[in-house]
Amino acid sequence: QVQLVESGGGLVQPGGSLRLSCAASGTIFTINTITWYRQAPGKERELVASSPNRGRVEYADSVKDRFAISRDGTRRTVYLQMNNLKPEDTAVYYCKLEHRRDPFDLKYEYWGQGTQVTVSS
């Protein structure tokens, strides 16, 4: 069973920075993608940044040039470096892992519990 644990959220002033972490444990197939989503009160969950184990990372337009997604050497922990934070970045941030044994296999997905990010003066 795959488990995801997020950390690094908190309260920060506008213009500040935070780094979120998503640590994955369990059996993880090589074909996998870890994605950060966020959900603000009263809004739908939206994709923030995505990191395929092999492939190009992607970002939402609203965070390009401010956020950076990366993986550590084990490929099991994904970081989201958030710079120049704005009040509209306030949300609960979730990470999701999708993986499959091979390209023709079913895709399995798992979610973390979420971490709150509040940007306020």
Side-chain angles (χ1 to χ4, degrees), residues 47-60:
L47 185 148
V48 176
S50 182
S51 170
N53 190 35
R54 295 170 181 167
R56 190 172 65 181
V57 300
E58 296 184 357
Y59 297 95

Side-chain angles (χ1 to χ4, degrees), residues 57-70:
V57 300
E58 296 184 357
Y59 297 95
D61 288 342
S62 60
V63 306
K64 278 181 183 176
D65 301 323
R66 298 190 298 124
F67 291 10
I69 191 169
S70 62

Side-chain angles (χ1 to χ4, degrees), residues 101-114:
R101 288 184 179 85
D102 59 61
F104 305 102
D105 191 19
L106 293 173
K107 184 172 62 177
Y108 302 90
E109 65 176 47
Y110 305 87
W111 289 86
Q113 80 285 357

Side-chain angles (χ1 to χ4, degrees), residues 47-93:
L47 185 148
V48 176
S50 182
S51 170
N53 190 35
R54 295 170 181 167
R56 190 172 65 181
V57 300
E58 296 184 357
Y59 297 95
D61 288 342
S62 60
V63 306
K64 278 181 183 176
D65 301 323
R66 298 190 298 124
F67 291 10
I69 191 169
S70 62
R71 294 198 186 210
D72 73 349
T74 69
R75 309 296 293 170
R76 286 174 168 262
T77 297
V78 170
Y79 303 102
L80 184 68
Q81 178 66 43
M82 306 186 294
N83 299 323
N84 190 22
L85 282 160
K86 304 176 180 180
E88 51 264 41
D89 295 318
T90 295
V92 178
Y93 284 70

